[in-house]
Amino acid sequence: MLEKIASENPFVSRIFAVEDGLEAVKIVQQETIDIALLDIDMPNLNGIEAAKIISKMSPKTKFVFITAHMDYAIDSFAVHPYNYLLKPIDISVFKDNINELVMSITSEPKQSSISMITVKDKNNTCMLSLKEIIYFQKVDKATVVHTNKEEYLINKTLTELENKLNSNFLRVHQSFIINIDKTAKIQDMGDRSYRIEFNGTKKTAYMSRYRFEKLKGTFTF
């Protein structure tokens, strides 16, 4: 139920559901996790112990504990939890928590800034300057890099890219990150989305209406 509700938030791009604390730790070893919703009473490794391990591997991950008892509160202080959700869970409170966490994460200044990325060009691997990139697109399970003339595959998710790209790149849709310096026009399609056109190419990307309302002040033409 919580997985379904969290997936309805337009800024939540991926959700990993696990059976216990050990699986949660394994996921964080492989993926960039912004928010961890952890039941405290889990087999093999409980939520608090899992959070302690995860916080060392991923210091920026924010924790929300789900529990039927508040007796664990003191034990959890080591990982500075954002909140506790008491069972039975109030759905409106859960949605508010997710919204507040998502907005705090998306408004945080980006700490890292790369100038090049590694891409696959046929059988070769090469370096590509960010200045050449128009947008990134999620296609099925792959991520495609679009330039004016070429398209490349990279072994990174859009969520991972968000944490590394500079402020010229914006996540405008679950499937698109665009270079705002390349943007020429944003057209309202009237179906809860906007079409984005770029300078020097006929390629287009799309922006959700929700993200347009959040980001429209960023664009000047």
Side-chain angles (χ1 to χ4, degrees):
M1 178 187 69
L2 297 183
E3 181 181 4
K4 179 180 183 298
I5 295 170
S7 68
E8 294 171 355
N9 188 297
F11 279 97
V12 175
S13 57
R14 291 188 304 165
I15 297 175
F16 301 90
V18 299
E19 295 294 328
D20 56 40
L22 288 177
E23 283 192 37
V25 171
K26 290 179 182 178
I27 288 293
V28 176
Q29 290 174 332
Q30 302 168 5
E31 306 286 346
T32 300
I33 302 297
D34 296 306
I35 301 169
L37 305 169
L38 298 174
D39 196 317
I40 291 180
D41 188 14
M42 292 192 292
N44 300 320
L45 188 66
N46 70 41
I48 292 176
E49 294 305 314
K52 289 178 180 178
I53 297 171
I54 291 170
S55 65
K56 291 179 180 178
M57 297 188 298
S58 177
K60 290 188 177 182
T61 297
K62 294 176 171 56
F63 298 97
V64 175
F65 288 117
I66 301 168
T67 182
H69 309 283
M70 285 300 291
D71 301 340
Y72 299 101
I74 295 176
D75 295 335
S76 72
F77 287 168
V79 294
H80 308 290
Y82 174 80
N83 206 351
Y84 291 87
L85 295 177
L86 290 177
K87 301 177 182 178
I89 294 173
D90 185 316
I91 299 304
S92 63
V93 171
F94 175 71
K95 288 183 176 181
D96 287 343
N97 271 248
I98 295 297
N99 287 334
E100 291 167 5
L101 280 168
V102 165
M103 295 311 297
S104 70
I105 291 166
T106 55
S107 63
E108 288 176 352
K110 297 179 180 178
Q111 300 297 321
S112 58
S113 180
I114 58 174
S115 59
M116 308 280 288
I117 62 170
T118 303
V119 299
K120 293 181 180 179
D121 183 11
K122 296 180 180 178
N123 295 325
N124 300 317
T125 300
C126 58
M127 298 299 293
L128 181 67
S129 170
L130 292 184
K131 294 180 180 180
E132 298 180 51
I133 297 171
I134 302 172
Y135 60 90
F136 298 88
Q137 181 180 11
K138 176 184 175 183
V139 180
D140 295 326
K141 294 183 178 181
T143 298
V144 181
V145 183
H146 293 264
T147 67
N148 275 9
K149 296 181 180 180
E150 302 291 341
E151 296 177 1
Y152 306 93
L153 289 176
I154 59 172
N155 189 28
K156 293 287 183 183
T157 66
L158 294 189
T159 301
E160 290 172 323
L161 288 168
E162 280 186 280
N163 295 325
K164 296 182 178 296
L165 296 170
N166 60 43
S167 57
N168 287 343
F169 289 86
L170 289 179
R171 183 74 173 267
V172 295
H173 189 280
Q174 288 189 352
S175 299
F176 293 97
I177 294 176
I178 68 165
N179 185 345
I180 59 176
D181 285 346
K182 302 287 188 179
T183 304
K185 181 180 179 182
I186 301 176
Q187 182 180 2
D188 189 344
M189 301 302 292
D191 58 354
R192 294 180 140 189
S193 67
Y194 290 78
R195 184 172 63 198
I196 304 173
E197 298 178 6
F198 302 93
N199 293 312
T201 181
K202 292 183 178 180
K203 294 181 178 182
T204 58
Y206 289 89
M207 178 187 292
S208 69
R209 186 168 295 277
Y210 179 88
R211 299 205 182 195
F212 177 79
E213 292 301 322
K214 295 292 182 183
L215 301 170
K216 59 185 177 183
T218 306
F219 299 93
T220 56
F221 301 106

